[in-house]
Amino acid sequence: MGNGVREGPVHFQRDVEPVPARIPAEDNQEKKKVLNSLISGALAGAVAKTAVAPLDRTKIMFQGSSRDNLSPQEAYRLIYHTYLNEGFWSLWRGNSATMVRVIPYAAIQFCAHEEYKQLLGNYYGFQGKALTPFPRFIAGSLAGTTAAMVTYPLDMVRARMAVTPKEMYSSIVHVFIRISREEGLKTLYRGFTPTILGVIPYAGLSFFTYETLKKVHAEHSGKAQPSPPERLLFGACAGLIGQSASYPLDVVRRRMQTAGVLGHTYSSILLTMQEIVREEGLVRGLYKGLSMNWVKGPIAVGISFTTFDLTQILLRKLQHGPATVER
């Protein structure tokens, strides 16, 4: 019996000894993957939004006003008028606030998308394979919703800075302080519901379209990965479809966000839509600036997806060497 008692602990230690040695390696790999996604997503968002910042500010100014629908000619006139009156760099006014929001937003969205794809793949039994259409859409929607929930107040600040003269708000912090003092903290979440309702189809369809086009391309071309120009084209298609589907809610969101400084009061999504339709018409009101979005959106989303993918590939090659299989 004495021998039995002595031998027991020895066998027990042998059984459990290898386990802790494996876990840190797996954790390390997962942490690197998450970090790569965060870095790639942050860079993707920053590059894409900076590229289209003048068009983005023009669109927000139109969405927040009751002027006629934004045509390319009218957009050009507005950009030129802003340049003459406020200077060249005014076209990027609010872009610092955009970066403060977009960098964490894009980082969270792209990273969350990778994680949701993995979770859904495990759940549906698609480990290592492309998701089927419905889980592909759900992964994109969940990723967009997660990012929007975390970063929404920064989107409100960006919208305020875009539609106000520079004398009104001196900095991002100043916007937060004035809104909190004059309108209350809950104002920072004004327009939150239409944002989430819009993000679900926008992010879902954008990621779904991009991933689907890459899958179809691989099946028909025989190439594992699309070229950078092909990625840009796939991203442009994704942006066009996603933004067209969610655009009316984007207009409602901007109206609710900028109501406090533009002399309007919008209490709910439905009442905001009703007022816009009554005063400006269905198409002219709820689709105001859509033609601009058909220029801006595909460019931004195409740059964003392409930058994310190529940065991911580069980071993996730097970590594991040139032989790393591309995404």
Side-chain angles (χ1 to χ4, degrees), residues 27-266:
D27 285 349
N28 248 356
Q29 199 61 29
E30 185 61 27
K31 284 176 184 175
K32 282 182 181 177
K33 180 187 165 191
V34 170
L35 183 61
N36 284 357
S37 294
L38 288 170
I39 293 170
S40 302
L43 184 62
V47 172
K49 278 296 185 181
T50 300
V52 298
L55 296 175
D56 212 24
R57 187 187 177 197
T58 303
K59 185 197 77 169
I60 292 172
M61 290 168 71
F62 257 80
Q63 285 181 330
S65 74
S66 55
R67 284 178 285 182
D68 289 336
N69 198 31
L70 181 61
S71 64
Q73 295 83 3
E74 185 63 29
Y76 170 76
R77 280 197 293 270
L78 182 57
I79 290 171
Y80 186 63
H81 178 77
T82 304
Y83 161 72
L84 289 178
N85 288 300
E86 301 179 41
F88 177 74
W89 294 112
S90 68
L91 297 173
W92 276 265
R93 174 164 167 73
N95 195 51
S96 58
T98 299
M99 290 300 102
V100 171
R101 170 191 171 263
V102 160
I103 288 174
Y105 181 93
I108 292 168
Q109 179 175 241
F110 278 105
C111 183
H113 182 246
E114 295 297 305
E115 295 303 308
Y116 285 131
K117 277 201 305 183
Q118 184 175 317
L119 286 171
L120 289 168
N122 292 338
Y123 180 79
Y124 285 101
F126 299 125
Q127 294 93 332
K129 299 178 183 176
L131 295 173
T132 52
F134 182 67
R136 208 177 300 153
F137 175 82
I138 293 298
S141 295
L142 288 173
T145 302
T146 301
M149 289 174 68
V150 174
T151 62
Y152 186 78
L154 294 168
D155 188 46
M156 160 67 83
V157 169
R158 191 269 298 237
R160 283 293 180 94
M161 291 189 76
V163 300
T164 55
K166 57 186 176 182
E167 296 80 17
M168 187 165 183
Y169 298 117
S170 59
S171 67
I172 298 168
V173 176
H174 189 211
V175 182
F176 274 110
I177 293 171
R178 282 197 63 175
I179 289 176
S180 300
R181 285 179 180 172
E182 297 172 10
E183 303 173 56
L185 283 171
K186 67 178 183 179
T187 303
L188 292 172
Y189 282 88
R190 182 179 292 160
F192 178 71
T193 302
T195 297
I196 295 300
L197 292 176
V199 157
I200 291 170
Y202 169 67
L205 286 170
S206 295
F207 279 105
F208 168 83
T209 303
Y210 185 68
E211 295 286 325
T212 300
L213 288 173
K214 286 203 301 181
K215 183 174 180 290
V216 170
H217 172 271
E219 290 171 352
H220 287 81
S221 70
K223 295 190 296 183
Q225 294 298 321
S227 65
E230 286 169 334
R231 290 181 194 272
L232 279 169
L233 179 61
F234 298 163
C237 292
L240 188 65
I241 292 170
Q243 293 189 341
S244 296
S246 62
Y247 196 78
L249 286 164
D250 191 42
V251 173
V252 171
R253 169 176 63 124
R254 292 300 179 204
R255 289 296 181 90
M256 295 179 78
Q257 286 177 334
T258 58
V261 292
L262 296 178
H264 293 283
T265 54
Y266 299 122

